[in-house]
Amino acid sequence: MFKKRAVVFIENGKEKEVFSVCEDIKKRDKSFDFLPLKKSILLYDRSKDRLHKRAMWMVKKVKGVKGYTVL
C-alpha cells in the first residue's frame, strides 16, 4: 500500500504532457502511482526518498512542472 504522497504543481495548458510522462513512468516502475487532478498531480510511492527524487526530477526535466511538496 502506498503511504507517501507528493503534490506536483503544473503550469496552465501543460497537463497532457505531464500526465503522459507519469503514464510512462508508471509502466516502467510498479512502485509508482499517480492521480491526475486539475492543476496538479498527486504522486504515490512506498519510499519517501524515491518520491523526493522523482518529484525533483520532474521539476527539473519535465516542461510544465513548476514545483512540488511532499505530504
Side-chain angles (χ1 to χ4, degrees):
M1 179 167 213
F2 299 110
K3 301 253 182 194
K4 311 300 185 227
R5 298 177 304 274
V7 178
V8 176
F9 304 105
I10 304 170
E11 294 176 10
N12 290 336
K14 301 289 184 178
E15 294 86 0
K16 290 182 183 178
E17 293 90 351
V18 176
F19 294 161
S20 68
V21 169
C22 287
E23 285 290 338
D24 291 340
I25 293 170
K26 186 175 179 178
K27 288 177 187 174
R28 289 181 278 143
D29 186 0
K30 299 298 178 190
S31 69
F32 171 80
D33 199 9
F34 73 100
L35 177 66
L37 304 171
K38 290 184 180 181
K39 299 295 177 195
S40 61
I41 295 176
L42 191 59
L43 302 179
Y44 297 97
D45 205 318
R46 293 185 184 115
S47 167
K48 193 172 190 174
D49 292 335
R50 200 168 43 218
L51 192 61
H52 270 289
K53 288 178 185 177
R54 177 123 30 220
M56 198 177 334
W57 175 84
M58 288 183 77
V59 170
K60 290 180 181 178
K61 300 289 183 179
V62 179
K63 291 182 181 180
V65 175
K66 58 183 177 180
Y68 77 96
T69 186
V70 176
L71 305 174

